[in-house]
Amino acid sequence: MRAPLFLIVAIHALLSYAFGTGGRPDAVIWDFAEKRAPAQDIVTWDSHSLFVRGERVMIFSGEIHPFRLPVPSLWIDVLQKVRALGFNCVSFYVDWALLEGKPGEFKADGVFDLKPFFDAAQKAGLYLIARPGPYINAEASGGGFPGWLQRVRGALRTAAPDFLNATDNYMANICKIIADAQITNGGPVILLQPENEYTGANPYTPFPDGSYMEYVMQQARDAGIVVPFISNDASASGHNAPGTGVGEVDIYGHDGYPLGFDCAHPTVWPANNLPTTYRSNHLKQSPNTPYSIVEFQGGSFDPWGGWGFEQCSELVNHEFERVFYKNNFAAGVTIYNLYMIFGGTNWGNLGHPGGYTSYDYGSVIKEDRTITREKYSELKLEATFIQSSPGYLTATPGNRSTSIYSDNPDITVTPILANSTSDASFFVVRHTNYSSFASTNYRLTLPTSQGTLTVPQLNHTLSLNGRDSKVVVTDYDVQGTRLLYSTAEVFTHVKQDNRTVLIIYAGAGEANELAIQGPSNNQVRKVQGGADFQVTSSNSSDYFVVNWTAHPEGFILQVGEDVVVYLLDRNTAYNYWVTDIANTTSKLIINGPYLVRSASINADELHIKADFNKSTTVEILGFPGGVSKLFINDRETTTEKSGLAAVANVSIAAPQFTVPELSELEWKYIDSLPEVTAGYDDSAWPNADKYGTDNTYQYLLAPVSTYASDYGFHTGVLVYRGHFNATGNEQTLSLWTQGGTGFASSIWIDDHLLSSYTGSPATEGYQGSYDVTGPGFEAGSEHVFTVVVENMGLNEDGIGYDDMKAPRGILGWRLATSKATNTPITWKLTGNLGGEDYKDRARGPLNEGGLFAERQGYHLPGAPTDTWESHSPLEGIGLPGVAFYSASFDLNLPSDEWDIPLAFSFTNDTQTSGIYRAQLYVNGWQFGKISSNIGPQTVFPVPEGILNYNGTNYVGITLWALEQGGAKIPAFELVSGVPVWTGREKVELVDSPAWSQREGAY
């Protein structure tokens, strides 16, 4: 029976501080009277926005974790896709657990080296927000904390001295790496976030503890960080905001996940979940800094047994972006980061127990780096508009209203008003019931420089379709021409030589109206397109009013001599891209490609890097003067003049290639649980011989600790051997195993399966009682229990709660006899070979676990398989146990020109396969964990660079059959996605060391 929760929490908090001894004083005292002066003048701010080198900027950012894509040469690919959205920034976490697998040994090279990420960001034209923690959450194992912190007695994320000491080495090293990449040193880093969501705490832990936050910031300063500190309160609560005293940051920010993570019901938008107090909270909490949302919902995580990330992408889809993101614009956000923009993969056990291998997150860029979700295109429209609208940065958000600006109370309008009539104002229009599916008619009353106008003037009403929102502009500057108003939305406007191009869009079939400045002696004329429009001019002003209906064909109007207006439906606008011409101040507008990466001029040649997933007509607006040749992906391409654009026909034919049939490979098999065979020698295994534990989360129940992290095993499958001398009276084994939600475990007596726990997505531990009378132990005979426990990763951590310390493995046991006595058990245990002295330095401390094949390194290419039995995972094993299968195959793909996504696809049918757990290794990298009875993931993308697209590849599968009858994999394929002719940079193979005999392997 557990003690009352409040008592446990109180005792835990007191003990954490009592035992938190170290080389520092018991209290960290700061003289806050010595306020620091700004350490640099490149990144500054006022109440409106950030300035970079004196230029006011809107920070539109997306979250990427380079550690979730362990192919550094692919980082530029993803970053260019972010830049193409209209973003100018990326935020990134750093996972401490991957860099300091052993206390005091910091290692950040190979795939963990951040310098290539910094270089790629600069090349793509992106700023960076660095978020090194030390705690990051991020759905990473331990929230980014290394497992050895379970042996730190002080409360984590507090000022406990031993915890602070434990962070020093990591923070000194990682912050020095980041400091070298600051904008002040010619790099892309402009902001640093200390800690993460420092918001809610154990009620018996001092909170908010400014001395703790100040300590973290001082660690960064000592390493050379001079850019501003920004926070990310988990909610808009004002913690550590400027003016709060010790531990205050420079710029206050908060997070927002208004729809939560209910991917089971992707169409449900609960009442009152649209934030409506962001602006008022900001004015109370941090009115002198830019309004900053450092994490806003870009998708959703999904747990074991969940619904899959395609459904999560439907929860946070293009409609969500239209309503929620524009609502944030209405609150005046000018530092804005979406979590995630690209999720990546929880390869190599780096994820926490609440998630599976994929970290797709339902984000705009899919795990396989494709951009086929509509939400990518919608976000491009929104981000490009905001970056094209400098007046937004200094306009003032007002109060929402259902009557001042709209004639229909079912429509809510929030104004963002200019400070003078010469500047632009913005009006965010949405349904009053934000989740409404209705199509609602309305008219607007808008204050303009020409007086208050009711629009539309030439038609009766406007319409807002369900789950939509619009940003209406007034007095909007279009390269020196005034757009008096537009009820349809602006995508962008660009000055190209002597011509201004303005692109406006609306939903197909929607009637809209604009009024634009033009010379009085000129009429508006249609240049191209078959759709109809109505136009009138004012006798008292130089504005033309155009009433039009969005149509897939679209049309182009010319206003005066030098202004061209494209009026498009939304789906057509999706195909347009705005890209800078390198080393100039000019921009191109390009219609047609799947993606536009960059543009540059070399002598009389225009070079465009772009991606195509089909044959396409490419229209280029702003073809530079003096340029006579066009090269797309280094191929010279013929152009011809068509209306206002230069047009090129890009014809592609899908490349011819094959991928191997995995079922036809020559599979090799070896038993990966030899521990249950008679005579197995475990003399080299570590002994469970610690008579106490430093783990303050779970008090010790048994004579010795069998907590895995007490012995340096923090990742992957754990294996235990429990020896006992029988009395002949043994009746019941009670065993408590814990591996995190979704875990499984199996127990053998000698070579007989006693029982397996097959797991639940809601259960992180299992306490079982097992009848052991069946084997009929003879008095004096020696026997052994073999216990296999799946470690799903370490829990994330709250402030002072120490959830990350929840131990893994065996937590308690008793072998009871009929004589009311207990038979002693002597335990040995193993995880990955060497534990914290992990053997595979290239793939890092978390990639492999404790199964026999992993300890021997047989998951690595070049393993000595010649003498192994020929046997396929599609045949499987007929008894409970663990099998390891391996095979090799060659690929010969045209990857220099084509981006071809590949994935390993498993068919899941537990009725025919049995219940099993499996791991997928590709060239030694663990890129898949399969739970046949829990799911949901069955398809595992593996990027080029891990896979050798032009050479030999080695694949390994561990198959753990949990029940009598064994298990098999019903079907297993390597599948390819749609090839994309690409302008990306060449992908380099990562260092994937091959097998060699491991010293001390058992």
Side-chain angles (χ1 to χ4, degrees), residues 670 672 832-833 839-840 843 847-865 868 884 886 921 923-924 954 956 993-999 1001-1002:
I670 193 170
S672 195
N832 62 299
L833 185 66
K839 303 303 180 183
D840 190 342
R843 299 174 182 89
N847 185 62
E848 61 190 59
L851 292 173
F852 172 76
E854 295 174 299
R855 302 194 308 265
Q856 298 294 325
Y858 293 157
H859 59 292
L860 303 176
T865 64
W868 296 4
F884 179 74
S886 71
Y921 280 97
N923 293 326
Y954 178 82
W995 179 86
S996 62
Q997 187 73 45
R998 288 184 166 183
E999 183 179 353
Y1002 45 81

Side-chain angles (χ1 to χ4, degrees), residues 889-932:
F889 61 86
D890 292 336
L891 290 174
N892 184 18
L893 304 181
S895 57
D896 281 353
E897 292 190 338
W898 294 86
D899 190 347
I900 305 171
L902 293 181
F904 291 83
S905 177
F906 292 75
T907 295
N908 189 26
D909 180 1
T910 55
Q911 291 185 344
T912 61
S913 70
I915 295 177
Y916 66 86
R917 297 291 189 271
Q919 296 178 110
L920 169 68
Y921 280 97
V922 180
N923 293 326
W925 302 80
Q926 195 249 77
F927 255 81
K929 296 177 74 170
I930 301 107
S931 176
S932 70

Side-chain angles (χ1 to χ4, degrees), residues 169-188:
N169 184 57
Y170 164 71
M171 287 295 283
N173 280 282
I174 194 60
C175 289
K176 174 62 167 63
I177 290 170
I178 294 169
D180 290 344
Q182 293 174 108
I183 194 169
T184 53
N185 292 323

Side-chain angles (χ1 to χ4, degrees), residues 228-293:
F229 291 128
I230 191 169
S231 64
N232 75 321
D233 223 349
S235 57
S237 303
H239 296 113
N240 304 104
T244 56
V246 176
E248 68 179 51
V249 296
D250 297 307
I251 300 171
Y252 174 75
H254 69 83
D255 297 350
Y257 293 85
L259 281 193
F261 310 98
D262 185 12
C263 300
H265 304 96
T267 63
V268 176
W269 291 6
N272 303 316
N273 278 36
L274 184 73
T276 56
T277 60
Y278 278 176
R279 174 66 180 173
S280 58
N281 287 338
H282 170 66
L283 294 177
K284 294 173 186 175
Q285 295 163 351
S286 192
N288 297 319
T289 64
Y291 178 45
S292 305
I293 306 178

Side-chain angles (χ1 to χ4, degrees), residues 328-349:
N328 292 338
F329 300 156
V333 64
T334 60
I335 299 178
Y336 191 31
N337 182 55
L338 300 180
Y339 189 103
M340 301 288 296
I341 205 71
F342 167 74
T345 305
N346 288 324
W347 64 274
N349 301 303

Side-chain angles (χ1 to χ4, degrees), residues 522-605:
N522 281 283
Q523 294 294 317
V524 174
R525 64 185 181 89
K526 183 165 63 177
V527 175
Q528 185 176 316
D532 291 329
F533 66 97
Q534 183 181 359
V535 61
T536 185
S537 59
S538 170
N539 294 326
S540 60
S541 69
D542 54 354
Y543 288 93
F544 293 93
V545 177
V546 180
N547 194 280
W548 63 285
T549 299
H551 187 274
E553 183 181 355
F555 54 102
I556 305 169
L557 304 181
Q558 182 159 335
V559 180
E561 296 296 329
D562 56 2
V563 177
V564 177
V565 183
Y566 281 63
L567 300 176
L568 308 175
D569 82 318
R570 181 188 286 120
N571 284 4
T572 302
Y574 282 166
N575 298 321
Y576 281 74
W577 307 84
V578 180
T579 190
D580 297 320
I581 302 176
N583 302 315
T584 75
T585 58
S586 300
K587 297 178 183 291
L588 296 179
I589 298 175
I590 302 176
N591 173 28
Y594 170 80
L595 170 71
V596 175
R597 296 177 182 271
S598 64
S600 61
I601 295 174
N602 181 14
D604 63 345
E605 300 171 355

Side-chain angles (χ1 to χ4, degrees), residues 676-832:
V676 300
T677 58
Y680 178 82
D681 180 8
D682 61 13
S683 59
W685 284 40
N687 295 311
D689 55 6
K690 297 184 184 296
Y691 290 95
T693 181
D694 286 322
N695 190 311
T696 55
Y697 184 89
Q698 178 63 56
Y699 54 85
L700 203 60
L701 298 172
V704 297
S705 170
T706 46
Y707 301 167
S709 287
D710 280 353
Y711 299 90
F713 302 120
H714 313 302
T715 183
V717 175
L718 304 165
V719 186
Y720 290 80
R721 299 268 290 168
H723 295 265
F724 66 96
N725 291 316
T727 65
N729 301 312
E730 285 76 18
Q731 280 194 323
T732 304
L733 172 68
S734 297
L735 192 71
W736 180 5
T737 56
Q738 184 164 278
T741 51
F743 89 108
S745 62
S746 292
I747 310 164
W748 278 263
I749 298 178
D750 299 327
D751 60 354
H752 303 290
L753 179 69
L754 178 61
S755 183
S756 285
Y757 171 67
T758 59
S760 162
T763 304
E764 71 169 1
Y766 185 73
Q767 299 175 11
S769 183
Y770 310 98
D771 182 355
V772 296
T773 60
F777 301 130
E778 294 183 6
S781 59
E782 296 183 356
H783 300 274
V784 62
F785 292 109
T786 300
V787 182
V788 182
V789 181
E790 187 179 21
N791 180 358
M792 309 299 281
L794 305 179
N795 294 346
E796 295 176 308
D797 204 69
I799 300 167
Y801 285 100
D802 280 0
D803 304 296
M804 174 268 171
K805 295 181 181 178
R808 297 293 184 251
I810 294 176
L811 275 59
W813 72 88
R814 184 172 68 192
L815 182 55
T817 74
S818 60
K819 303 297 184 180
T821 60
N822 299 321
T823 299
I825 303 176
T826 302
W827 290 99
K828 291 174 174 282
L829 77 160
T830 190
N832 62 299

